[in-house]
Amino acid sequence: MTTANQTGTALTDSRRDHITALEHVNQRLLWLSAWTIHHANHIREKRDGLKVGGHQASCASITAIMTALYFHALGANDKVSVKPHAGPVLHAMHYLLGNQTLDKLTTYRGLGGAQSYPSRTKDTIPVDFSTGSVGLGVAVTAFSSLVQDYLIGHGQLQPDAAGRMIALMGDAELDEGNIYECLIEGYKHDLRNCWWVVDYNRQSLDATTADRMFRRFDDIFETCGWRVVTLKHGRLQRELFARPGGRVIEQWIDTCSNAEFAVLTYQGGAAFRERLLADIGTKRGVRALLDSMDDATLGQVMTNLGGHCIETLIDAFDACQDDRPTMFIAYTVKGHGLPLAGHKDNHSGMMSPTQMEQFRASQSVAPGQEWEKWAGLGDNLAQTLQHFVAHSPIARQQRGAPAAMIPVPPIPVPTGEENSTQAAFGRVMLDLAKTDSDLADRLVTTAPDVTQTTNLGAFVNQRGLFRRQECEDVFLNAKIPSVQKWQQHAAGQHIELGIAENNFFLLLASLGLAGDHFGTRLLPVGTVYDPFIARGLDALNYGCYSDARFLLVGTPAGITLAAEGGAHQSINTPLIGMGQPGLTSYEPAYADEVALMMGHAFDLMQRPDGSSVYLRLSTRTIAQAPRESSDWQSDALAGGYWLRRPAPGATAAIAFSGVVAPEALAAWADLAEDIPGLGLLNVTSADLLHRSWSARNAARWTGETPAPSHIEHLLAPLAADAGLITVLDGSPAALSWIGGVRGQRVVPLGTDRFGQTGDLPDLYRTYRLDSDAIIDAAAELFV
């Protein structure tokens, strides 16, 4: 038997059974997600008296969308970013699949339990993309699609293994500016294989979404090459509209404001009836049509929006099987199916115990069977649904083996008696580009329109710009001399971005997850002006939280940038490097340190217990340190080494980081006769020194055996009451803590004010970074 539905799609018995099964799964996800949150807040013991939280209404608005996607439309290679507040639905789904344990659900938002928001590193269920900071989990899917195209272009992924990168998003996320930065970048790179599904429930944390803006999203996305599919009405509504008087009700719904519709939804069918009769009751056929339904039926039909109709959703997904980027605007009701539906306070609200009992009864779940996967459905139906879920698209997805490690050969040291750390970085990248090593082939670089000024240009000359379609260099064809010889082709290894640091960090995160997502490891290297790291901090934190691996190069840094002025001079980035989990920070002073740390970074980025790496570099050319041996290297990688060793029992030492090495050396030379045995400590990583010291302190309280930290080892030769002078071109707080290791007096030098224009001698004198300032600081120690 075959009938036709309202969209003209053939509705066979098997398809009808398929839709029925999906509807049952949808109800189970609704129940389990709501119960998980209820259990955490009303049943589980609370020792601190605080609300555990959760978002029952936000879960309810998206359960049908997730059911249709995961159990019908998902392809074998598709990846999904789930909106943060739908985390309990994702956990419920994997509970039905057998991937999530009851213990994790009963400890939801507790220590070791299911996480509040989907987390790649904290959750035990498969999570493709971490979410939490709204907007970032959406935009990252576009960059992951670009990474997929990159791998295909390089022959590292077969075209038939491509999947869609899908984001399930709340409509309030469309207020996030990074969405539109991403949209523009995606258009530049001819984005494809990307779906964004908007749970358009028209309610955010504080308000009901304004009607005016949503009428423009079609234009914005279509202008950027997207197909926009609006799912406003479900099957029940479309059937209503086809009856006499139905078109009038359809027009009323289409012109009703979001706020008014929310109020009527919360009040129910009787309120809808009263309002419809008052507004359009005199129109032909309307009263008779309304009289044909009781209040419960009318309320059900009026809230049967496209995002809650399984049939409408799967028809829409099935109709978009090409690679064009597509935005689905799925109209929903926040809290659909719950007593909270439509209420403006339902974002953080949740059902009371009385309301939960009523909801339990409506779901036919008996007391004591709340965690049963198919409670209240009968054995035969339960077995049918368990089989359906076990053979669904999500159940068939396979997780690949960890990507193979890429060997890291020795990194040649740039030569020259004088050099800058930025130039050394560029030289290392160029030398690697000229080799045929696996490491060189897996490097992929990116920058937010600062490729040349951060010394990546030579690498790009060698390896080219990535473009899916080859583009001619018209300057080259015209034989016009240029230092840029950037061939654009599918095998290029540099992805150029516009000036948007959020895009930059999200692309780095996507490239750094290539091994997990696509089974092929890439080693991404991104350069950005050091002060502008702060413009993308949220996205940087997102990448680190997701355990993406990349090498971040911040350059030029500090007031050493001199003539560029305060807007381009970084102050607090050393503290960012120290405070950011998942990111190991180094600030080298010399070219050989740069080479050493880059080789270490390429290895660390691949280790299971590794991290991303941040190098803070400078354009200032300084004399290089002569080396008698390589003994310094292990200490440099651990966070610091003595450039001039102190004598046993020395009463003072100078500790510096990075580009101020000449000033520190000059001051040391002037002070060495007056302070016998004076030491000069090169702090290559305040981050690692502080981390190991903190770990030693923490070990006392965790039952572990405390191991001496590297900074304690370095300071051991000094007298117990020795004084310290610390200096760096950045916040003095990055080094001043060293005085607390042994309770020693410290005079910290650094910059804690916005800089200004000037030449280097003037700025170093004004901000007290010159050798005279260090000598004055030493005098302060002994006066």
Side-chain angles (χ1 to χ4, degrees):
M1 176 180 176
T2 302
T3 59
N5 66 10
Q6 292 296 314
T7 61
T9 304
L11 195 61
T12 62
D13 285 345
S14 61
R15 185 172 177 83
R16 191 189 305 278
D17 290 343
H18 181 70
I19 292 171
T20 300
L22 289 170
E23 289 171 341
H24 279 299
V25 172
N26 176 39
Q27 287 302 116
R28 302 318 297 168
L29 295 181
L30 177 65
W31 163 258
L32 285 170
S33 59
W35 178 254
T36 298
I37 298 168
H38 180 82
H39 180 273
N41 285 275
H42 293 288
I43 297 177
R44 192 173 73 211
E45 179 187 4
K46 281 195 278 189
R47 295 175 297 173
D48 53 17
L50 298 177
K51 175 182 176 181
V52 177
H55 299 85
Q56 288 176 331
S58 295
C59 290
S61 68
I62 201 171
T63 51
I65 294 171
M66 292 182 68
T67 299
L69 179 67
Y70 278 96
F71 296 96
H72 172 82
L74 207 63
N77 301 308
D78 294 350
K79 306 288 186 296
V80 185
S81 175
V82 177
K83 77 169 187 175
H85 295 154
V89 182
L90 185 67
H91 291 293
M93 182 180 69
H94 281 287
Y95 182 60
L96 294 182
L97 287 162
N99 299 327
Q100 183 59 286
T101 65
L102 177 58
D103 177 66
K104 294 287 185 180
L105 292 186
T106 57
T107 52
Y108 168 65
R109 292 198 172 198
L111 184 62
Q115 295 296 296
S116 308
Y117 310 126
S119 172
R120 285 176 34 81
T121 57
K122 304 295 184 183
D123 278 315
T124 54
I125 62 172
V127 175
D128 296 322
F129 300 95
S130 296
T131 53
S133 186
V134 294
L136 298 180
V138 177
V140 73
T141 58
F143 292 107
S144 290
S145 180
L146 176 59
V147 171
Q148 180 175 252
D149 282 341
Y150 178 93
L151 292 171
I152 292 172
H154 286 74
Q156 294 165 341
L157 185 70
Q158 294 303 309
D160 60 3
R164 287 192 185 87
M165 304 298 116
I166 303 169
L168 303 177
M169 60 193 294
D171 52 356
E173 291 191 81
L174 286 169
D175 289 339
E176 288 287 348
N178 75 278
I179 294 283
Y180 304 98
E181 293 178 348
C182 160
L183 198 62
I184 294 169
E185 201 64 59
Y187 183 73
K188 294 178 189 175
H189 288 277
D190 193 19
L191 176 67
R192 58 179 183 163
N193 287 319
C194 192
W195 280 2
W196 289 357
V197 187
V198 183
D199 171 14
Y200 183 33
N201 59 48
R202 292 149 293 154
Q203 288 182 253
S204 60
L205 178 60
D206 289 335
T208 302
T209 305
D211 303 86
R212 178 180 175 83
M213 190 59 222
F214 237 84
R215 299 189 184 111
R216 307 306 306 164
F217 287 125
D218 291 33
D219 292 341
I220 293 170
F221 277 79
E222 286 172 355
T223 298
C224 290
W226 288 60
R227 169 175 50 212
V228 179
V229 179
T230 300
L231 308 176
K232 187 164 189 177
H233 306 294
R235 177 179 58 82
L236 296 180
Q237 284 194 354
R238 296 195 301 271
E239 290 176 350
L240 179 75
F241 302 156
R243 296 169 61 185
R247 290 301 177 192
V248 179
I249 295 179
E250 179 181 12
Q251 291 170 4
W252 182 91
I253 292 175
D254 288 343
T255 57
C256 182
S257 73
N258 290 336
E260 290 288 347
F261 195 86
V263 168
L264 293 170
T265 297
Y266 180 71
Q267 292 175 325
F272 269 116
R273 183 185 306 278
E274 181 180 354
R275 184 60 175 273
L276 289 168
L277 287 173
D279 288 354
I280 56 174
T282 60
K283 301 289 186 179
R284 184 176 180 181
V286 170
R287 182 175 292 274
L289 185 53
L290 294 176
D291 288 345
S292 69
M293 297 175 283
D294 59 23
D295 287 344
T297 303
L298 179 59
Q300 180 186 15
V301 172
M302 293 300 290
T303 56
N304 177 238
L305 302 178
H308 297 306
C309 179
I310 295 293
E311 184 178 330
T312 299
L313 287 162
I314 65 175
D315 285 346
F317 293 153
D318 289 348
C320 299
Q321 292 302 308
D322 51 27
D323 65 3
R324 185 177 176 186
T326 302
M327 179 189 194
F328 299 92
I329 301 176
Y331 277 67
T332 60
V333 170
K334 195 162 189 174
H336 183 69
L338 305 180
L340 311 170
H343 196 288
K344 70 176 183 177
D345 297 337
N346 65 15
H347 181 88
S348 299
M350 58 188 66
M351 287 182 279
S352 67
T354 300
Q355 289 174 320
M356 177 54 74
E357 286 303 311
Q358 295 170 348
F359 181 57
R360 181 214 302 273
S362 72
Q363 299 295 303
S364 301
V365 175
Q369 294 188 338
E370 295 87 357
W371 297 110
E372 295 293 327
K373 294 181 180 180
W374 310 105
L377 296 180
D379 292 341
N380 290 337
L381 180 55
Q383 290 178 5
T384 299
L385 293 175
Q386 186 62 46
H387 181 271
F388 175 82
V389 166
H391 293 81
S392 62
I394 179 61
R396 293 194 297 269
Q397 283 198 322
Q398 300 296 317
R399 298 286 158 178
M405 295 278 287
I406 300 166
V408 180
I411 305 294
V413 176
T415 58
E417 293 182 0
E418 293 191 343
N419 216 329
S420 74
T421 51
Q422 178 177 303
F425 160 75
R427 185 71 225 187
V428 169
M429 292 299 294
L430 174 59
D431 290 344
L432 285 172
K434 290 179 177 179
T435 70
D436 60 357
S437 66
D438 288 344
L439 174 65
D441 291 341
R442 296 301 177 90
L443 290 173
V444 52
T445 61
T446 187
D449 201 34
V450 292
T451 299
Q452 290 219 85
T453 48
T454 55
N455 277 57
L456 269 181
F459 177 88
V460 182
N461 281 345
Q462 289 290 320
R463 292 285 175 155
L465 277 167
F466 171 70
R467 288 285 187 275
R468 284 202 295 119
Q469 287 81 32
E470 186 168 345
C471 298
E472 291 186 351
D473 185 336
V474 293
F475 277 80
L476 181 65
N477 293 342
K479 299 182 179 180
I480 299 174
S482 171
V483 296
Q484 287 183 329
K485 300 176 179 63
W486 295 1
Q487 299 293 318
Q488 302 182 48
H489 48 78
Q493 288 181 235
H494 177 77
I495 301 175
E496 184 67 4
L497 298 173
I499 309 173
E501 283 74 14
N502 265 294
N503 285 342
F504 168 72
F505 283 115
L506 288 177
L507 176 58
L508 279 180
S510 298
L511 291 165
L513 291 173
D516 288 345
H517 282 165
F518 306 108
T520 299
R521 190 185 301 275
L522 295 174
L523 295 175
V525 178
T527 61
V528 63
Y529 289 178
D530 194 62
F532 301 143
I533 285 175
R535 293 172 61 173
L537 270 184
D538 195 15
L540 169 61
N541 183 67
Y542 173 83
C544 293
Y545 181 70
S546 299
D547 199 28
R549 304 296 178 81
F550 48 83
L551 173 58
L552 168 65
V553 178
T555 183
I559 66 167
T560 303
L561 194 50
E564 291 290 334
H568 279 63
Q569 298 168 358
S570 56
I571 298 171
N572 65 342
T573 47
L575 299 179
I576 292 171
M578 292 178 67
Q580 178 60 58
L583 186 69
T584 299
S585 171
Y586 286 104
E587 185 160 1
Y590 301 111
D592 55 0
E593 294 174 7
V594 173
L596 175 71
M597 291 167 189
M598 288 180 68
H600 176 66
F602 294 139
D603 176 67
L604 188 64
M605 289 157 59
Q606 302 184 67
R607 294 184 202 164
D609 61 345
S611 71
S612 292
V613 177
Y614 162 38
L615 299 182
R616 188 175 189 253
L617 307 182
S618 173
T619 52
R620 184 190 183 193
T621 298
I622 65 174
Q624 298 300 288
R627 307 292 190 189
E628 296 180 357
S629 71
S630 60
D631 293 348
W632 60 276
Q633 293 182 352
S634 60
D635 277 357
L637 291 178
Y641 66 97
W642 287 108
L643 195 61
R644 300 288 186 270
R645 290 191 175 276
T651 58
I654 301 169
F656 75 92
S657 275
V659 74
V660 295
E663 285 67 36
L665 272 166
W668 180 88
D670 285 343
L671 292 168
E673 290 186 8
D674 296 327
I675 308 176
L678 177 68
L680 181 60
L681 178 64
N682 183 355
V683 177
T684 53
S685 176
D687 174 29
L688 287 178
L689 291 184
H690 189 271
R691 200 187 308 172
S692 65
W693 180 54
S694 296
R696 166 152 168 77
N697 292 334
R700 299 188 182 101
W701 317 110
T702 59
E704 301 174 9
T705 302
S709 65
H710 188 51
I711 186 61
E712 288 174 302
H713 167 73
L714 290 171
L715 297 179
L718 301 177
D721 59 350
L724 301 173
I725 304 111
T726 63
V727 57
L728 77 160
D729 186 358
S731 172
L735 296 181
S736 63
W737 61 270
I738 294 176
V741 174
R742 301 173 70 199
Q744 294 168 302
R745 187 179 178 197
V746 61
V747 180
L749 301 178
T751 57
D752 55 10
R753 294 171 289 159
F754 289 115
Q756 56 187 300
T757 56
D759 65 9
L760 209 54
D762 280 346
L763 291 187
Y764 272 24
R765 182 181 66 255
T766 301
Y767 293 92
R768 298 191 54 74
L769 293 180
D770 59 7
S771 58
D772 287 344
I774 298 173
I775 293 170
D776 290 344
E780 187 177 335
L781 283 176
F782 296 101
V783 174

